[in-house]
Amino acid sequence: MIKKAVIPAAGYGTRFLPATKAQPKEMMPVIDTPVIQYVVEEALQANVDDIMIVTGRGKRAIIDHFDRSMEMEYFLKEKGKTELLEHLRNISELADIYTIRQKQSNGLGDAIKYARRHTADEAFVVMLGDTILESFTDKNCAGQLIETYNRIRRPIIAVEQVPTEKVHRYGVIKGKEVEPGVYLIEELVEKPRPEERPSNLAICGRYILTPEIFGYLDKTACGKGGEVQLTDALNMMAKNEQIFAYQFKGRRHDIGNRLDYLKSTVLLALQRPDLKDEFRAFVQEVLSLDDPRRYGLCDTRLLDSILKKDRGEDESTD
Ligand code: G1P
């Protein structure tokens, strides 16, 4: 049984400045929910309710988010907004959340080391705090991974097929398919150049690790970006023991860069029961317009004349 999750949430989020200057990237909302809440909900749905979040300086908002907010609860109760109140309470009550601060931002591998005492002699699931994984089946990504782990009882990493031009953003594995969608890993490379990629199977932010990983992390020198890379420790591990990759049935939403963040917001909004119909109609209408500024205007004459001027078609003298 996997009972513990470790959520690293200590990185600076420089790819999202200025939004992340005074706000953790894990608190960026997708529609109305911070990314890290999607991750915690994924853990809970997979029956993992002991969650350790590895934070860093400037990440207090994460801790507050999973705490109760008495003032807000009182306010919602007064206003009779019981559904919202329930929802808010659930977030803080369903999980046992522990936090620890990484002293210095020194990479994912280093962040995982902070969970050593908490996870002790148990296997645990690592869920990156800035990645939403959408599942195409009734089991979410953590659930699929746990199910596979329970069968093979070895460390296992979720991967997805990515186009060659994107491999440089991820850890990439080389493996032998031993059963459909399950690979025995031979090698892992962190952020390879396209021509050096061992495959197109990229690590997508969910891992089941066993306590042996800590010994390998201790021996891992700084790698890509001058940071301790979990991928490098796993590569060392793969040379000595069997570890596996699992091609999960779903899609990753990479919240770490602007364009993918926008795409994810659109894709998830188009699936939200309370928004999807109106949002779809909106997207279709905007895309049918020659200029998005035209959307929703009651009177288009002003914009028309400006556009005409821009095109040099305006012959008026003023
Ligand atoms: C980290 C890992 C990388 C993995 C990626 C998934 O990279 O180091 O192996 O593919 O997460 O999101 P980061 O996004 O922190 O640079």
Side-chain angles (χ1 to χ4, degrees), residues 45-317:
Q45 279 156 18
N47 295 318
V48 177
D49 62 357
D50 176 321
I51 296 168
M52 163 155 274
I53 304 181
V54 184
T55 67
R57 269 183 293 283
K59 302 274 183 170
R60 281 209 36 193
I62 296 178
I63 302 172
D64 289 341
H65 184 73
F66 291 106
D67 193 2
R68 283 183 72 171
S69 166
M70 295 306 178
E71 254 176 69
M72 183 69 86
E73 286 184 24
Y74 179 78
F75 179 78
L76 293 176
K77 202 171 166 198
E78 286 286 290
K79 297 275 173 206
K81 297 188 187 288
T82 42
E83 214 172 296
L84 208 50
L85 178 64
E86 277 293 296
H87 187 65
L88 231 56
R89 274 214 185 128
N90 278 346
I91 302 166
S92 50
E93 279 174 7
L94 291 180
D96 280 339
I97 302 211
Y98 303 85
T99 57
I100 188 165
R101 265 195 189 186
Q102 188 185 25
K103 302 288 176 289
Q104 204 185 335
S105 193
N106 197 19
L108 177 59
D110 183 64
I112 301 295
K113 282 205 231 174
Y114 283 77
R116 186 192 307 234
R117 287 177 77 178
H118 186 78
T119 54
D121 55 359
E122 289 175 51
F124 55 96
V125 53
V126 170
M127 308 173 73
L128 301 194
D130 61 359
T131 305
I132 296 176
L133 294 174
E134 179 189 344
S135 173
F136 297 156
T137 74
D138 55 350
K139 265 207 169 64
N140 64 34
C141 183
Q144 293 175 34
L145 210 54
I146 290 172
E147 187 177 56
T148 316
Y149 171 80
N150 286 341
R151 204 152 34 83
I152 62 174
R153 312 297 296 177
R154 294 297 311 156
I156 183 158
I157 303 166
V159 292
E160 77 167 351
Q161 199 84 39
V162 298
T164 302
E165 65 273 16
K166 286 193 175 170
V167 290
H168 70 279
R169 295 189 194 169
Y170 304 114
V172 178
I173 67 131
K174 177 183 178 192
K176 200 169 83 201
E177 196 164 13
V178 289
E179 60 176 84
V182 179
Y183 299 79
L184 174 61
I185 297 181
E186 291 159 13
E187 194 191 359
L188 301 97
V189 188
E190 181 66 9
K191 302 193 172 74
R193 284 205 292 265
E195 61 279 15
E196 287 162 356
R197 75 192 187 285
S199 77
N200 282 44
L201 288 173
I203 300 171
C204 58
R206 302 291 182 265
Y207 314 68
I208 292 185
L209 303 177
T210 51
E212 290 75 40
I213 190 63
F214 296 110
Y216 292 103
L217 282 168
D218 286 341
K219 287 186 270 178
T220 302
C222 291
K224 273 268 152 70
E227 297 185 332
V228 180
Q229 297 293 347
L230 177 60
T231 306
D232 293 344
L234 287 165
N235 189 42
M236 219 190 288
M237 193 172 187
K239 308 282 177 223
N240 292 322
E241 358 184 350
Q242 288 195 328
I243 65 172
F244 293 85
Y246 169 75
Q247 197 170 355
F248 90 105
K249 298 180 181 73
R251 100 141 39 100
R252 170 223 305 266
H253 291 281
D254 196 343
I255 309 302
N257 74 78
R258 289 150 223 259
L259 188 60
D260 285 339
Y261 174 79
L262 272 178
K263 288 181 189 173
S264 299
T265 305
V266 171
L267 287 170
L268 293 171
L270 286 171
Q271 297 179 59
R272 268 272 295 252
D274 56 335
L275 296 171
K276 63 179 186 186
D277 296 338
E278 277 183 66
F279 188 59
R280 174 179 293 275
F282 160 75
V283 173
Q284 273 165 346
E285 190 179 339
V286 169
L287 293 179
S288 72
L289 300 172
D290 62 332
D291 187 314
R293 288 177 293 181
R294 227 180 258 292
Y295 177 77
L297 289 184
C298 300
D299 180 352
T300 61
R301 281 174 300 180
L302 177 63
L303 181 62
D304 282 339
S305 74
I306 292 169
L307 290 174
K308 234 175 169 181
K309 228 181 219 157
D310 286 352
R311 289 195 297 263
E313 289 167 17
D314 188 10
E315 273 137 38
S316 67
T317 46

